Amino acid sequence: AFDSLKYGTNWEDEKPGEVKDDGVKLMSLHHTKQAPQIQPIAVEKKIPISFDNVDYTFLGYLDVIDKKGKIIDTKTTSKTPPEDTIKKDEQLTAYALLYRVEYGKEEAGIEFDYLIRTKTPKIAIMEGWRTQQDIEKFLEEVGKIWAVIKTGIFIRTDPSNWWCSERFCGYYSKCMLRKKKYFT
C-alpha cells in the first residue's frame, strides 16, 4: 500500500524509502515492546455525541480502549515530546468525554504511546487522566467554538502551530494571517 501511494504524496525533504524503513522499525518496536502489554476491547471506536439545542454531532474515534478501560493513542514523532504534553492535550480530553458518554463511567486513564523516529527508534509512554472539571471546561470551549462558527467569523490560529502550514492546512494558500491581511 505504501509503494502504491508514495507517488501522490508531498514528501518535502524526506525520501520515501527512508520513511518506509523508519515506519517498519517503529512498528516492529511497538509490536515487540508495547503491544503485548495491551489487551484491547475496542479499536478505532466510533462515538458520536448529540447535544440538546444544537444542530451538530460531536464525533470521535478512540484509537484503543484496553480491558481496564484505559484510552490509548499511538503517535509518531521525530523527538521526545515535553513531559507535560499529556496534561495539555485537548484530544485526550475529547476522548475522555466520548468514553464517559459511551460507557456511562470514567475511563481508567489516558495514555499516549509515542513512537519516536530517531536514529535508534524508541517509545515514550505518557499516562494521565482527566477530571470532570477538565471535561466541563472542554465542553464550554466546544460551545464557544460552535457559536463562532455560526457567525462565519473565524479566529486566527497561532502560526507556530504545526497545522498552520502548507502541508497540513487545506486553506493555507487563502490564509489571511499568512498574507498578513487581518479582518477588521
Side-chain angles (χ1 to χ4, degrees), residues 20-36:
K20 181 179 177 181
D21 291 345
D22 289 349
V24 168
K25 289 176 192 173
L26 290 171
M27 292 310 300
S28 296
L29 179 64
H30 185 269
H31 182 74
T32 58
K33 299 292 184 192
Q34 189 61 10

Side-chain angles (χ1 to χ4, degrees), residues 11-25:
W11 295 101
E12 293 184 2
D13 296 331
E14 297 194 276
K15 295 178 180 152
E18 290 176 9
V19 172
K20 181 179 177 181
D21 291 345
D22 289 349
V24 168
K25 289 176 192 173

Side-chain angles (χ1 to χ4, degrees), residues 2-178:
F2 183 95
D3 290 338
S4 68
L5 296 171
K6 72 181 179 183
Y7 298 106
T9 302
N10 177 1
W11 295 101
E12 293 184 2
D13 296 331
E14 297 194 276
K15 295 178 180 152
E18 290 176 9
V19 172
K20 181 179 177 181
D21 291 345
D22 289 349
V24 168
K25 289 176 192 173
L26 290 171
M27 292 310 300
S28 296
L29 179 64
H30 185 269
H31 182 74
T32 58
K33 299 292 184 192
Q34 189 61 10
Q37 300 175 47
I38 301 169
Q39 294 300 313
I41 61 163
V43 176
E44 288 297 316
K45 173 78 173 172
K46 179 180 179 179
I47 304 175
I49 301 176
S50 296
F51 297 96
D52 295 335
N53 304 317
V54 295
D55 56 350
Y56 66 88
T57 300
F58 188 80
L59 175 64
Y61 293 83
L62 278 62
D63 291 3
V64 174
I65 302 169
D66 76 4
K67 70 179 185 176
K68 297 174 192 168
K70 183 189 286 185
I71 302 164
I72 303 169
D73 189 32
T74 303
K75 303 231 179 252
T76 58
T77 184
S78 60
K79 59 184 178 180
T80 304
E83 287 185 32
D84 63 348
T85 298
I86 194 99
K87 293 177 187 172
K88 295 179 178 180
D89 194 280
E90 291 297 332
Q91 177 185 3
L92 292 175
T93 307
Y95 284 0
L97 166 66
L98 293 164
Y99 182 93
R100 292 174 189 193
V101 169
E102 180 74 7
Y103 295 99
K105 62 182 181 178
E106 227 175 270
E107 66 286 352
I110 52 177
E111 177 176 303
F112 271 145
D113 293 354
Y114 278 101
L115 306 178
I116 305 168
R117 187 180 169 204
T118 51
K119 190 172 187 174
T120 303
K122 59 185 180 177
I123 298 177
I125 309 300
M126 296 184 173
E127 297 178 291
W129 61 90
R130 292 297 184 266
T131 65
Q132 187 58 33
Q133 184 178 4
D134 294 329
I135 302 288
E136 290 169 11
K137 181 181 171 191
F138 177 79
L139 284 170
E140 184 179 321
E141 290 301 311
V142 169
K144 289 176 184 175
I145 291 166
W146 179 245
V148 170
I149 289 170
K150 284 175 40 175
T151 69
I153 300 170
F154 297 92
I155 299 169
R156 289 178 274 163
T157 188
D158 177 346
S160 67
N161 288 326
W162 64 267
W163 58 79
C164 191
S165 68
E166 188 171 11
R167 181 175 178 192
F168 293 106
C169 180
Y171 301 95
Y172 189 78
S173 65
K174 300 175 185 175
C175 181
M176 300 305 275
L177 179 63
R178 188 180 68 80

